[in-house]
Amino acid sequence: MPTLSVVPKTPYSERYREVAQTLPGHGRDWVRARREEGLSRFENAGIPSRKVEAWKYTDLRALAKVEFQPTPAADALSPRAAELVAAVTGDDHLVVFVNGRFRADLSALGALPEGARIESLAAGLESGDGFVADHLGRLADLPDRPFRDLNDALLTDGLALRVPRGVTVDAPIRVLFITDHEGDPVSHHPRLLIVAEEASQATVVEDHRGPDGQTYFANGVTEITVGEGAHIHHYKRQSEGEAAFHLSTVFVHVAKDATYDSFILSDGAGLARNDIYARLDGTGADCRLSGAYLGRRRQHMDTTTLIDHAMPDGTSREVYKGVLDGKARGVFQGKIIVRRDAQRTDGYQLNRALLLSREAEIDSKPELEIYADDVKCSHGATVGEIDAEALFYLRARGIGEKEARSLLVEAFVQDALEEVRVDAVREEFAALVRTWMENAETA
């Protein structure tokens, strides 16, 4: 078993030493071993620099300079945090995490179908739950994923969701993450563990919020197993404060005739990166990755995806659109791999960016790596400004410049929003885009 004696003393190893005995599952050998192995890998690799190809366009030096403390538990909510919880309405099953920890008193799970199960991951680690032990880390096994390793070491809590065979959870499951802290920079490392068994269905909506002006580091990992013939809709809203760092790594396994459908709407954090690694490991598997990112001032937003077609007759579709104002920077790195046995694969990838200022930037790197000979794959990337003729047309009909620009941006993003299959979520995201435009200002 790796030991910390061979690991250099860095701020993260020091934090681990300080809190190790308080972390959930510390008394269980397999949990402790997993944490120490993850920390050892992270410390040996370090925070990646731009010399690492996968991080070529995203500079993490600002993250590396900050010494983050563990986020303390919050017994009482600030007025602002309480408003955020109160604002979440509807028929959703609501699961609330504050500072990375499950809050049963704020959650409202509602009545779930028989056999469906939602619980705190910390509780599963403490109890030695067989479901958690069997699935934690099973998908997150790709090498060179340093922030997955850091999450392994320092995860405090998260969501464990099991949807049993043939069961449909009709109402969306909303997982609300709120950072509610004032003071020194803090970090939390949540984990989502989602298993949809054969012919099951569910919708999961992640919702990440945090205060402006507070520096913190949210480092999440999600593992999703989509069983044969199952359908998972996985939607995410990331609206954290612009002093925050938000890094997310998602691992997805899609089985025969199953569908994984993802959409990420990101308008928050000073530096945000969403990594998705999806493996289509069954005949007829379907994967849809889409999203929209809205950046202004000096925000940096990175979307990195890898879809691995390992079996025949699989389909994948990616549509990402970005709107960048001020000195914001966007990154899209999308790769599709088609293995030798994955004949009759149909893959489509599109990334389009709209620059509202001359100082905004976008780096786009679409890739196809194909080893089969009977495939249909395409990719494209475009960058442009608001259409001057369309803007003139709207203004000539009495529409003010700000409103006209807003209408054109909404129309641009709407194509991506059409990928969201759940009406209520699509309407919520469209309203967020409108609000972002109303508040837009170039800096």
Side-chain angles (χ1 to χ4, degrees):
M1 179 189 304
T3 63
L4 291 178
S5 60
V6 299
V7 175
K9 290 185 178 181
T10 70
Y12 288 104
S13 61
E14 290 300 307
R15 295 293 84 76
Y16 178 82
R17 293 174 186 276
E18 292 170 3
V19 303
Q21 294 188 355
T22 68
L23 294 173
H26 177 75
R28 301 190 176 277
D29 290 343
W30 72 269
V31 177
R32 190 166 60 253
R34 182 171 188 83
R35 292 187 185 281
E36 296 184 356
E37 288 168 2
L39 184 63
S40 178
R41 288 193 302 268
F42 176 78
E43 296 292 352
N44 288 331
I47 293 177
S49 72
R50 294 180 66 181
K51 294 181 180 179
V52 178
E53 183 63 26
W55 294 89
K56 180 178 180 180
Y57 303 110
T58 296
D59 190 342
L60 297 177
R61 285 178 295 179
L63 175 69
K65 290 177 182 177
V66 183
E67 290 195 17
F68 295 96
Q69 303 297 321
T71 311
D75 296 325
L77 292 182
S78 68
R80 181 186 176 280
E83 288 178 6
L84 289 176
V85 176
V88 178
T89 59
D91 298 328
D92 300 346
H93 302 286
L94 177 62
V95 189
V96 179
F97 291 84
V98 178
N99 295 344
R101 293 172 173 82
F102 174 60
R103 290 288 299 268
D105 58 319
L106 301 175
S107 302
L109 298 183
L112 292 167
E114 184 176 356
R117 171 180 168 189
I118 297 175
E119 68 176 3
S120 157
L121 188 59
L125 291 172
E126 282 291 327
S127 67
D129 186 294
F131 172 78
V132 173
D134 289 344
H135 291 92
L136 185 67
R138 191 175 74 176
L139 304 185
D141 58 354
L142 292 177
D144 304 321
R145 301 295 182 266
F147 293 104
R148 178 272 322 273
D149 297 333
L150 184 61
N151 182 282
D152 278 348
L154 294 174
L155 79 91
T156 303
D157 207 345
L159 174 75
L161 167 64
R162 174 178 176 259
V163 187
R165 178 179 179 179
V167 167
T168 295
V169 181
D170 291 319
I173 300 165
R174 183 176 293 265
V175 189
L176 178 61
F177 290 95
I178 295 177
T179 299
D180 187 27
H181 176 75
E182 294 182 2
D184 293 335
V186 294
S187 67
H188 47 89
H189 307 266
R191 192 79 160 230
L192 272 68
L193 188 60
I194 300 171
V195 177
E197 297 180 359
E198 182 181 347
S200 64
Q201 296 186 45
T203 297
V204 177
V205 182
E206 288 185 55
D207 193 342
H208 297 259
R209 313 283 186 96
D212 285 324
Q214 173 62 49
T215 300
Y216 63 91
F217 174 26
N219 174 41
V221 172
T222 299
E223 298 179 75
I224 301 176
T225 300
V226 191
E228 185 173 331
H231 293 257
I232 284 291
H233 303 293
H234 180 208
Y235 303 133
K236 176 179 176 180
R237 171 180 173 175
Q238 191 277 112
S239 297
E240 295 173 289
E242 291 182 29
F245 298 88
H246 179 99
L247 301 181
S248 170
T249 310
V250 179
F251 301 89
V252 185
H253 181 278
V254 189
K256 179 181 177 182
D257 297 326
T259 298
Y260 173 70
D261 168 37
S262 165
F263 190 97
I264 299 172
L265 179 60
S266 182
D267 75 324
L271 187 153
R273 172 158 164 149
N274 289 286
D275 283 356
I276 304 178
Y277 306 96
R279 181 175 175 86
L280 279 61
D281 212 13
T283 303
D286 182 22
C287 179
R288 296 170 178 267
L289 308 181
S290 301
Y293 47 95
L294 312 173
R296 59 190 176 209
R297 290 185 279 274
R298 295 182 179 272
Q299 288 180 284
H300 182 99
M301 296 182 167
D302 181 338
T303 299
T304 296
T305 68
L306 170 61
I307 299 178
D308 187 350
H309 287 266
M311 297 293 285
D313 301 306
T315 57
S316 63
R317 176 177 173 84
E318 293 184 77
V319 178
Y320 285 92
K321 291 198 171 183
V323 181
L324 301 170
D325 203 353
K327 297 180 180 179
R329 184 171 185 179
V331 178
F332 175 79
Q333 301 180 103
K335 185 172 185 177
I336 297 174
I337 298 177
V338 182
R339 304 291 178 181
R340 189 175 302 277
D341 293 332
Q343 302 294 341
R344 298 174 300 281
T345 286
D346 186 349
Y348 173 80
Q349 182 188 95
L350 175 66
N351 174 50
R352 296 182 63 193
L354 185 64
L355 305 184
L356 303 183
S357 119
R358 293 187 178 277
E359 295 181 286
E361 297 182 48
I362 177 71
D363 292 292
S364 189
K365 184 185 175 186
E367 295 181 85
L368 297 177
E369 189 175 315
I370 301 174
Y371 300 97
D373 55 16
D374 182 9
V375 303
K376 183 171 67 174
C377 290
S378 64
H379 63 84
T382 62
V383 181
E385 301 176 345
I386 284 181
D387 188 322
E389 290 187 7
L391 184 62
F392 176 80
Y393 177 87
L394 292 174
R395 296 200 65 194
R397 279 148 183 79
I399 299 175
E401 181 175 359
K402 183 175 180 179
E403 184 180 357
R405 286 166 60 89
S406 180
L407 288 171
L408 292 173
V409 169
E410 286 182 43
F412 174 79
V413 177
Q414 185 61 37
D415 285 345
L417 290 174
E418 290 299 326
E419 300 293 323
V420 179
R421 299 184 180 183
V422 178
D423 292 344
V425 177
R426 184 171 60 251
E427 292 167 5
E428 175 188 338
F429 285 4
L432 180 62
V433 173
R434 286 192 294 273
T435 299
W436 184 86
M437 280 304 302
E438 290 170 2
N439 297 330
E441 60 181 75
T442 302

